[in-house]
Amino acid sequence: MSWHPQYRSSKFRHVYGKAASKEKCYDCVPITRNVHDNHFCAVNPHFIAVVTECAGGGAFLVIPIHQTGKLDPHYPKICGHKGNVLDIKWNPFNDFVIASCSEDATVKIWDVPKHVLTRNITSPNKELLGHVRRVGLIEWHPTANNILFSSGYDCKIMIWNLDTKEAVISNPVKILEAHRDVVLSMSFNTDGSLLATACRDKKIRLIDPRAGTVLQVASYKSHKVNKVLFLGNMEKLFSTGTSRWNNRQIALWDQNDLSVPLLEEDLDGSSGLLFPFYDSDTHMLYVVGKGDGNIRYYEISSEKPYLNYLMEYRSHLPQKGVGMMPKRGLEVSACEIFRFYKLIPTKSLIEPISMIVPRRSESYQEDIYPLTTGAQPALTAQEWLNGVNKGPVLVSLRPGSGAVNSLPQFLEPEPVMKTTDMSQHQGQGGRMPLGNMPKPTAIEDSRKQLKVEEKLPKNEQKCLSNGFDVFECPPPKTENELLQMFYRQQEEIRRLREVVNQRDVQIKQLELELRNLCTDTDSY
């Protein structure tokens, strides 16, 4: 019998939740009173959108992310639906395009102006007409541009291609008719080749969306599923629901075998829905309860016990819905790894909650910020419809860095000069071993590189930090911008020190080469 330690090491074991101060919240926001089980909030690095109360039809607000404080009661709305708005989602590849669905059985695509709204927006950019009953869910494809999924109370999932000039689209490219009841939740795997759904008939289905075939069905009687979520590349599904005794329950499933869950756990006896959120970069799972103020968070592992409980954020203010900020909108200078936007209708308040890893260092923490999904699509809509699968385009969250490809690029190897311990060579009579001697071509290349850099004019020698020009950016206006500028300069200083150390190593190697040549001539 193998022994397992009681405590496991994890860099996220001490993650804590921090609510924003009053002046950084969004106050006097008329949050919807609709009882539909949805988030009612969508966030990107530029805007926060929230479904609001509106007489005669449905509407939602789009507020600039930095416009905190009290909201003007006459603030303009986006109000083109004839029924209540049930779901809103930002385009993951365009921060100024948002989709909404409503009880009027339509899906509308809106263009949001880059400046602050000055009047109500009533005319959508596109209108999708296909459902015959109200539409309760919409999801953008995670890697293909302009592919949208919608699910209605007609028990159909429709796939829309928005790469057309038509303002009204009435023919979806595909209709999935695999369900006999209302779909409660939809989730994609990392490359968008598989779709997991939770249905009111208490079953989880794994679907190939392009073929329209059901690959697997989970009908476990002791777990009544409400929400389902793909766990990145872990080949696992996570679901929330209720047990046979109506306790709130979570379950973990093997993607390749949905007959029996790997794990199921009862949480409490509350009646509110559980919203799951997964961060594939840190392998952290957050479970947010509707109707209470708690956020439980876990760490997912590929081995048993799979689900490792970390901590619980508690608040006395109950949340009706919650929004999630994409990773590219987080404050990396504060070691923030996740951010929620909590809707509190009893106080007409939206409260940001940051999940923070406590660190003392002020530099960029690369171990908690791996490459993450960026804002560039990996595929066009037609490529995905033709059967191409591709992972998301990844970016670094390091300030000033750009996008990288999701697939590794195999470049030609460059000559690398190995650093050696100089003290060992000094102990050998000042002679470098032949096996460690740098090749003449590498030395000549380094000399040429030094000469070229010395010949550069002064006006072309810019202070760049990963492609970011420190001197060309405008001066910081806020404390946050000042902190970001400070961290960028700290990173630039660190980079320059590394360059200086590399030059010192090259100089010492050249000195050793000269010393070896001198000893060789003396021996002859």
Side-chain angles (χ1 to χ4, degrees), residues 44-65:
N44 69 26
H46 292 92
F47 299 103
I48 174 171
V50 58
V51 180
T52 183
E53 282 293 305
C54 179
F60 59 96
L61 296 167
V62 173
I63 308 169
I65 202 71

Side-chain angles (χ1 to χ4, degrees), residues 33-148:
R33 306 288 177 177
N34 197 312
V35 295
H36 188 71
D37 288 330
N38 237 331
H39 297 156
F40 295 121
C41 181
V43 189
N44 69 26
H46 292 92
F47 299 103
I48 174 171
V50 58
V51 180
T52 183
E53 282 293 305
C54 179
F60 59 96
L61 296 167
V62 173
I63 308 169
I65 202 71
H66 298 297
Q67 188 177 323
T68 55
K70 288 188 176 181
L71 187 71
D72 185 355
H74 302 290
Y75 190 84
K77 300 179 177 69
I78 297 180
C79 49
H81 284 286
K82 297 178 182 178
N84 291 327
V85 175
L86 299 181
D87 197 10
I88 49 176
K89 291 287 189 332
W90 288 104
N91 187 333
F93 311 120
N94 189 339
D95 289 342
F96 301 95
V97 172
I98 189 169
S100 64
C101 64
S102 167
E103 290 180 349
D104 61 8
T106 65
V107 179
K108 297 179 188 288
I109 313 298
W110 308 86
D111 285 339
V112 178
K114 296 185 180 180
H115 54 79
V116 180
L117 291 180
T118 56
R119 58 184 178 84
N120 290 347
I121 297 178
T122 57
S123 300
N125 182 30
K126 292 185 187 298
E127 188 172 6
L128 313 181
L129 305 176
H131 292 279
V132 295
R133 297 185 63 186
R134 60 179 177 174
V135 186
L137 282 175
I138 47 175
E139 287 288 344
W140 293 92
H141 193 275
T143 60
N145 195 23
N146 287 328
I147 291 289
L148 182 69

Side-chain angles (χ1 to χ4, degrees), residues 377-476:
L379 298 167
T380 64
Q382 197 57 49
E383 285 175 340
W384 183 79
L385 292 172
N386 291 338
V388 181
N389 292 326
K390 195 173 182 182
V393 177
L394 303 179
V395 297
S396 171
L397 295 181
R398 184 189 295 272
S401 60
V404 298
N405 289 327
S406 58
L407 297 176
Q409 298 294 319
F410 298 99
L411 303 177
E412 294 182 0
E414 296 179 0
V416 180
M417 298 179 65
K418 296 182 179 179
T419 58
T420 55
D421 189 359
M422 297 303 167
S423 60
Q424 293 180 359
H425 304 313
Q426 296 292 338
Q428 295 176 0
R431 186 174 179 85
M432 180 186 289
L434 293 176
N436 294 334
M437 282 185 64
K439 296 180 180 180
T441 56
I443 298 173
E444 290 175 2
D445 290 342
S446 62
R447 287 173 182 168
K448 292 178 181 178
Q449 183 180 0
L450 288 172
K451 289 180 180 179
V452 170
E453 290 178 355
E454 288 175 358
K455 291 179 181 179
L456 282 175
K458 292 184 179 180
N459 57 359
E460 292 185 4
Q461 295 178 359
K462 296 182 179 181
C463 185
L464 294 175
S465 176
N466 295 298
F468 175 79
D469 192 348
V470 177
F471 298 113
E472 285 189 0
C473 66

Side-chain angles (χ1 to χ4, degrees), residues 215-229:
L215 304 178
Q216 287 195 66
V217 179
S219 56
Y220 196 63
K221 293 183 179 179
S222 65
H223 180 70
K224 305 173 187 176
V225 64
N226 284 323
K227 298 290 181 184
V228 67
L229 189 68

